[in-house]
Amino acid sequence: MRAARTTLASATAVALAFIATGCTEKSDAKAGDENLISVVATDDTCEVDKKEFPAGHVELAVENKGSKVTEVYILYPDDRIVTERENIGPGTKQKVTAEVKAGSYQIACKPGMKGDGIRQQVKATGGGTAAKRDPKLDAAVAAYRKYAQEQADQTLPLAKEFAEAVKAGDLEAAKKAYAPSRIGWERTEPVAESFGDIDPKVDLREDGLEEGQDLEKDWTGWHRLERSLWQDKKITDRDKELADLLIKDLEAWQDKVNEAEITPTSMANGAKELLDEVATGKVTGEEERYSHTDLVDFKANVEGAEKSYELLKPVAEKNDPELTKELDRQFAALNKLLDQYREDKDSYEFTSYDKVGKEQRKELSDGVNALAEPLSKLAAAVVK
């Protein structure tokens, strides 16, 4: 599940910003459709109108009747994620298209975007396979799996360079290696999150700790080290232990990437999740609150989302040409906006985010929202 959380107030503000751009849509599925599942979330309940449904493409029509921002997940029995949708504001509706094989699942609502969620046991019935699909989509899945593995493989040497600098006690070298070590992770974060346990170990922010967790014992990963480097301005023996642990956890991620359940709809929904990551962490400046390297993560999230889109585009363009035209426009506009903050056109170095003013942040937020709205429709477009 998502490890890097915003405060509730920030998440609410972001969710309302998405609503303002029209990102909450009524389902176009017909009432009585056996593959349409109504999910009504409140602050203490998660109601679903079907406990069984046919395997294949399903659509969750989610309504948040509570007072808190919520998330909705379809989960495998072992807590791996089939699909998710975050930042569903109070009094709003969203829809999520997913592809599921026959078997047992859970639908979970997370009021306040915290904890394990309120869960309902559900079952997809049928012959054990997911929906039939265009061979072009199989090619897209294969290409994305290769891309995700490449990103993991490229991340490890950069992360080891970072870890070695920490272990050597070289503060400046560790600072320099920090942001580059995160790029591959940020490009493919939905894949990493699908494994459940790795993401909280690697990418947890201080405000993502659950009640009862100990700050010094349970907080591990990049952001724990980020705080030491930029806020504490010193490297302790505990930090050196955490550097080794970071590599161990990233190697586990690298080994598991090829096992990830990837479908065309999970690619499309993952692209939207990456935009949500930008909106709830990078634009607000909360993700990299000590290093202010948020724009590096921002760019990596957008690149990962665009990769999924480009691989799915041949089918989406056939099914919904107007949508792909709009996505092409909005990706180009957001990339152009981000490129204004590059140190030079060929580098992956960006302006420190603490130097980005309020109006500039608003411009970036508007660009994210303009892309997020059509991107939320991509999953439905690839299964038409």
Side-chain angles (χ1 to χ4, degrees):
M1 294 23 163
R2 195 76 60 185
R5 299 292 188 191
T6 61
T7 61
L8 181 57
S10 296
T12 302
V14 171
L16 292 176
F18 276 115
I19 294 160
T21 63
C23 196
T24 53
E25 305 171 55
K26 293 184 178 179
S27 169
D28 57 9
K30 297 178 181 178
D33 186 337
E34 60 184 359
N35 291 96
L36 173 64
I37 305 166
S38 172
V39 181
V40 178
T42 70
D43 292 346
D44 52 18
T45 63
C46 184
E47 300 175 1
V48 298
D49 69 343
K50 293 183 182 72
K51 295 296 183 70
E52 289 193 7
F53 46 85
H57 293 122
V58 299
E59 181 178 88
L60 302 185
V62 183
E63 182 175 7
N64 183 2
K65 292 187 176 182
S67 63
K68 301 176 181 178
V69 176
T70 197
E71 303 170 339
V72 172
Y73 294 79
I74 300 178
L75 300 169
Y76 292 101
D78 61 2
D79 268 11
R80 287 178 299 123
I81 298 170
V82 178
T83 194
E84 65 178 298
R85 182 57 53 86
E86 298 186 331
N87 297 312
I88 305 172
T92 69
K93 299 178 181 179
Q94 291 198 26
K95 63 180 181 180
V96 188
T97 302
E99 184 176 335
V100 296
K101 298 178 181 179
S104 297
Y105 298 89
Q106 297 179 79
I107 292 177
C109 306
K110 284 193 176 184
M113 304 200 302
K114 286 281 190 177
D116 292 332
I118 304 162
R119 302 190 178 200
Q120 296 283 0
Q121 302 293 327
V122 296
K123 184 177 182 180
T125 60
T129 59
K132 292 181 180 179
R133 61 193 184 209
D134 189 317
K136 291 179 181 178
L137 294 177
D138 289 323
V141 168
Y144 185 76
R145 187 180 297 281
K146 180 180 178 182
Y147 171 74
Q149 187 67 62
E150 287 172 346
Q151 294 305 307
D153 293 346
Q154 291 168 16
T155 294
L156 258 296
L158 296 171
K160 287 178 179 178
E161 181 180 345
F162 169 64
E164 288 303 316
V166 171
K167 290 161 63 179
D170 191 333
L171 194 70
E172 292 307 314
K175 285 182 176 181
K176 184 177 180 180
Y178 171 77
S181 75
R182 292 176 47 75
I183 292 170
W185 173 274
E186 291 289 338
R187 285 172 177 160
T188 59
E189 194 167 358
V191 173
E193 288 173 344
S194 71
F195 302 123
D197 60 339
I198 294 176
D199 182 62
K201 294 177 182 178
V202 168
D203 202 30
L204 187 70
R205 295 207 314 255
E206 183 174 354
D207 54 346
L209 288 166
E210 302 288 349
E211 186 176 352
Q213 287 187 303
D214 181 81
L215 184 66
E216 294 306 315
K217 178 182 176 182
D218 298 316
W219 188 21
T220 62
W222 269 302
H223 295 302
R224 173 64 180 82
L225 292 166
E226 178 202 6
R227 190 185 73 167
S228 293
L229 297 175
W230 274 273
Q231 179 172 285
D232 301 340
K233 297 181 173 60
K234 62 181 180 180
I235 295 171
T236 66
D237 288 342
R238 174 59 174 162
D239 293 325
K240 294 175 183 180
E241 293 173 358
L242 290 173
D244 278 333
L245 184 58
L246 174 65
I247 299 305
K248 180 181 177 181
D249 290 333
L250 288 174
E251 286 174 341
W253 162 55
Q254 181 188 35
D255 289 342
K256 285 188 173 184
V257 167
N258 197 48
E259 302 171 10
E261 293 280 349
I262 299 174
T263 66
T265 54
S266 75
M267 289 170 58
N269 289 327
K272 174 61 167 60
E273 290 164 31
L274 286 169
L275 264 290
D276 288 347
E277 284 282 316
V278 173
T280 60
K282 284 68 174 183
V283 168
T284 62
E286 295 178 57
E287 178 81 3
E288 306 290 359
R289 63 190 66 179
Y290 310 112
S291 65
H292 305 300
T293 55
D294 302 87
L295 288 173
V296 176
D297 292 359
F298 191 142
K299 181 64 174 178
N301 285 158
V302 173
E303 287 175 339
E306 191 166 17
K307 181 66 174 183
S308 290
Y309 166 59
E310 290 294 342
L311 291 172
L312 295 170
K313 183 178 175 179
V315 173
E317 189 171 37
K318 179 179 67 176
N319 293 339
D320 194 338
E322 290 305 312
L323 175 65
T324 56
K325 288 178 183 177
E326 180 65 12
L327 285 169
D328 286 343
R329 284 194 293 270
Q330 296 301 340
F331 268 116
L334 185 55
N335 279 317
K336 182 178 180 180
L337 186 59
L338 272 171
D339 285 346
Q340 295 177 17
Y341 298 94
R342 282 186 186 269
E343 294 299 314
D344 66 68
K345 66 177 183 178
D346 297 319
S347 81
Y348 218 96
E349 295 182 10
F350 287 82
T351 302
S352 180
Y353 203 58
D354 58 337
K355 297 179 181 178
V356 178
K358 183 177 179 181
E359 290 303 314
Q360 293 169 305
R361 293 188 184 201
K362 175 64 165 56
E363 186 180 25
L364 288 165
S365 179
D366 289 345
V368 172
N369 291 341
L371 174 57
E373 192 278 328
L375 196 58
S376 70
K377 302 175 183 178
L378 181 60
V382 299
V383 301
K384 281 186 178 180

